Amino acid sequence: MSALTGMGMMIRLALRRDRVVLPLWTLLPALFPVAFVTAFTTGYPTAQARQEYAETSVHNVAFTVVYGALHGSSLGELVTWRAGFIPIVVGLSALLTVIRHTRTEEEQGRRELLGATALARHAGLAAALIIVACGSAVLGLLSALLLIGQGLPAAGALAYGCRLLIAGCVFAAVGAVAAQLTTSAGAARALGIVALAGAFLLRGIGDGGGSEWPAWLSPFGWAGRLQPFGGERWWVLALPAVASAALVVLAVVLSQRRDLGGGLLPERRGPAGAASGLRSPLALAWRLHRGSLAGRIGGLALVGLALGGITESLGELMNNSTPAAREALARLGGPGTVVDQFLVGMMTLLGVVCAGFAIQTVLRLRAEESGGRAEPVLATPVDRSRWAGSHLVLALAGPAAGLVVFGAALGLAHGLGTGDLSGQLPRVLGAALIQLPAVWVFTGLAFALFGLLPRWAATAFAILVASLLCGWAAEELRLSPWVTDLSVFAHLPRLPGADVTPLPLIVLTALALALAAAGWAGLRRRDIPIS
């Protein structure tokens, strides 16, 4: 039997199962650059206006870290820069898709059943990689064609499409390696996301710091160095091609060295008997979430301390920027000093990150259900309300603790740096806590989807990203106010620096409660499990 026997069957099966998800991450990201073309031509119609916008943005460290380095002021370069987050989304989608069709299939026992047929060992892995590579190529080509249709140069448009292809192929290979190392899909996803976050961090350090070399260690950095519409450097494509091929070979070698269903990293086995503290659903939920909660809160503390230490110097840098730069910052940050306006943007990002943590905590319920671990718990005197409520409590309390720790760490470092600890610590802490109602809205949304439409629960992440984009992109590109109003975070008071209006906070909290109640009602009425 050939090493790839049955690969065609596995491709057809994967396409059948991903008939909804695959078109979404293959087609939708291609529409964002077109929207940015329209926004730039409307808001900045002349070359002089775009030059001022570029001068504004190139000195904004936060923008550089998030979107990458800006190399010029042409329409194509600005669109490519503003779409700098899309390769990250594509990389994450590719990573998760490969893990879903490899490690998840093994964990749930379906791969073993298929292996009883005429199916080679590496057929499933090859099928997943081919699907993701083809999907990334389709996305890149479609994006290029749409940009060419907007009147942009063909060479730059093709280079932009190659940026997406780089992200998809490299992180598909990363997902393939992660799937060989662990015995669970959750651990494989964690390893892959750590690798993606590391690549993003290296690119951010290289683009926003004084030295460029860290960006050359990141696939996202390679995508940026391709420089679409700015004198394309096609030789950069050799780096992701070699890296992808090497990672695929590594995944195949690792696959040959492990048993089906097993992983190369040793599995940590628990004690034979449960601890005395595991006598309630809340205690079990805490046991499941405590590691991730500790890691998240610790990471937020470190980031808060780091940001607090450089906030004052960043404020001085922004005070020396152009009037157009200060105007753009004021649109994003509202009233207050330049430092306050910078902190408003950081607090919005903090809210988005904590909302993502909350969604992930809620989705653990879905993982417990689909993995068959919820039924044994519910077969005891524990009912659905106590089981789901224990996870929901941690989804509400965990992000709240993260906001407190981040705000306290940033306020402490900033207060010590300015010599005004008693004044800055409560201001910054309040600015962090003001994000809590919006975070709870997404907690309630994820719980509502889990209770009513469990198969679509993960779309809460897509809604979160859309909310962030509607807020930042609309303010930055001066789009219609109704676009900004689509963002949950746009309705929060812009602290520090603005006045607190209690009505939006009350409305958002009530919305979170209503969504949680809807999810609770749906969970009580539906079957468990729903595969």
Side-chain angles (χ1 to χ4, degrees):
M1 184 171 60
S2 170
L4 297 179
T5 299
M7 183 182 68
M9 176 190 69
M10 295 300 293
I11 291 176
R12 292 193 299 271
L13 177 61
L15 290 175
R16 174 69 177 81
R17 296 182 61 202
D18 284 354
R19 62 188 181 278
V20 175
V21 176
L22 188 61
L24 286 178
W25 79 259
T26 302
L27 303 178
L28 286 183
L31 302 179
F32 283 100
V34 177
F36 290 139
V37 171
T38 303
F40 276 117
T41 53
T42 301
Y44 303 89
T46 65
Q48 178 62 30
R50 289 194 283 271
Q51 178 64 34
E52 293 178 357
Y53 178 87
E55 292 175 356
T56 297
S57 303
V58 76
H59 297 297
N60 192 311
V61 178
F63 285 172
T64 302
V65 171
V66 174
Y67 301 128
L70 178 59
H71 301 288
S73 61
S74 69
L75 178 60
E77 288 172 307
L78 290 175
V79 168
T80 299
W81 174 73
R82 276 299 280 113
F85 66 93
I86 296 181
I88 300 171
V89 175
V90 173
L92 180 61
S93 301
L95 170 79
L96 297 179
T97 300
V98 170
I99 292 175
R100 178 171 182 256
H101 289 295
T102 53
R103 174 51 62 184
T104 301
E105 294 296 286
E106 291 189 38
E107 183 181 16
Q108 297 185 353
R110 290 190 289 264
R111 175 64 181 83
E112 186 174 4
L113 293 175
L114 291 172
T117 65
L119 183 69
R121 182 180 183 87
H122 304 304
L125 176 61
L129 291 171
I130 289 173
I131 288 173
V132 172
C134 292
S136 301
V138 169
L139 171 60
L141 181 59
L142 179 61
S143 300
L145 293 176
L146 290 176
L147 290 176
I148 293 172
Q150 295 291 311
L152 294 178
L158 289 174
Y160 172 80
C162 288
R163 283 165 53 102
L164 306 183
L165 181 62
I166 287 173
C169 290
V170 172
F171 283 99
V174 169
V177 173
Q180 314 308 317
L181 297 176
T182 66
T183 57
S184 71
R189 286 191 290 266
L191 284 177
I193 291 173
V194 167
L196 186 141
F200 174 77
L201 182 62
L202 287 171
R203 197 268 290 155
I205 293 172
D207 289 341
S211 178
E212 188 181 2
W213 68 265
W216 285 99
L217 303 177
S218 166
F220 299 131
W222 303 335
R225 270 72 193 155
L226 194 56
Q227 292 187 4
F229 306 103
E232 295 78 15
R233 297 192 284 184
W234 298 105
W235 63 267
V236 175
L237 292 175
L239 297 175
V242 172
S244 299
L247 288 171
V248 169
V249 171
L250 177 61
V252 172
V253 172
L254 294 178
S255 177
Q256 292 173 337
R257 293 177 176 271
R258 66 177 181 87
D259 294 331
L260 184 64
L264 292 176
L265 295 179
E267 184 178 7
R268 181 172 175 266
R269 297 187 179 276
S276 59
L278 290 176
R279 293 180 176 176
S280 69
L282 182 59
L284 176 60
W286 167 251
R287 177 64 181 82
L288 294 174
H289 292 288
R290 65 183 184 184
S292 59
L293 284 174
R296 294 164 186 170
I297 292 175
L300 289 174
L302 293 176
V303 172
L305 289 172
L307 280 177
I310 64 173
T311 294
E312 195 64 24
S313 60
L314 286 176
E316 295 176 0
L317 176 64
M318 294 172 188
N319 269 322
N320 296 327
S321 61
T322 64
R326 292 194 293 272
E327 179 188 353
L329 189 61
R331 288 199 307 272
L332 291 171
T337 65
V338 172
V339 172
D340 288 344
Q341 291 165 352
F342 169 75
L343 289 176
V344 169
M346 293 300 99
M347 293 306 171
T348 300
L349 284 178
L350 167 68
V352 172
V353 170
C354 288
F357 291 161
I359 293 172
Q360 190 173 13
T361 303
V362 173
L363 292 184
R364 183 58 188 258
L365 285 166
R366 178 59 180 158
E368 293 293 296
E369 178 186 3
S370 59
R373 295 181 292 274
E375 288 180 281
V377 175
L378 296 176
T380 69
V382 175
D383 59 15
R384 298 186 183 195
S385 298
R386 294 178 63 199
W387 169 68
S390 60
H391 291 266
L392 182 60
V393 166
L394 294 176
L396 294 170
L403 291 170
V404 170
V405 170
F406 180 89
L410 199 157
L412 177 63
H414 181 46
L416 291 174
T418 58
D420 185 22
L421 180 61
S422 61
Q424 294 299 329
L425 179 57
R427 292 179 75 246
V428 175
L429 181 58
L433 287 175
I434 209 72
Q435 306 294 321
L436 191 55
V439 172
W440 281 349
V441 166
F442 285 99
T443 308
L445 173 65
F447 192 75
L449 289 172
F450 168 70
L452 298 170
L453 300 169
R455 295 187 182 93
W456 294 87
T459 57
F461 283 115
I463 299 173
L464 173 62
V465 173
S467 181
L468 173 64
L469 294 179
C470 287
W472 272 29
E475 290 284 359
E476 186 183 345
L477 300 177
R478 303 179 185 180
L479 301 181
S480 300
W482 69 267
V483 179
T484 305
D485 291 339
L486 294 175
S487 173
V488 176
F489 298 94
H491 300 282
L492 296 171
R494 298 183 179 183
L495 298 183
D499 297 327
V500 177
T501 305
L503 181 59
L505 305 179
I506 295 173
V507 171
L508 290 176
T509 304
L511 177 59
L513 291 174
L515 288 169
W520 216 291
L523 181 62
R524 290 171 61 89
R525 288 171 172 80
R526 71 172 176 86
D527 294 334
I528 291 181
I530 292 180
S531 60

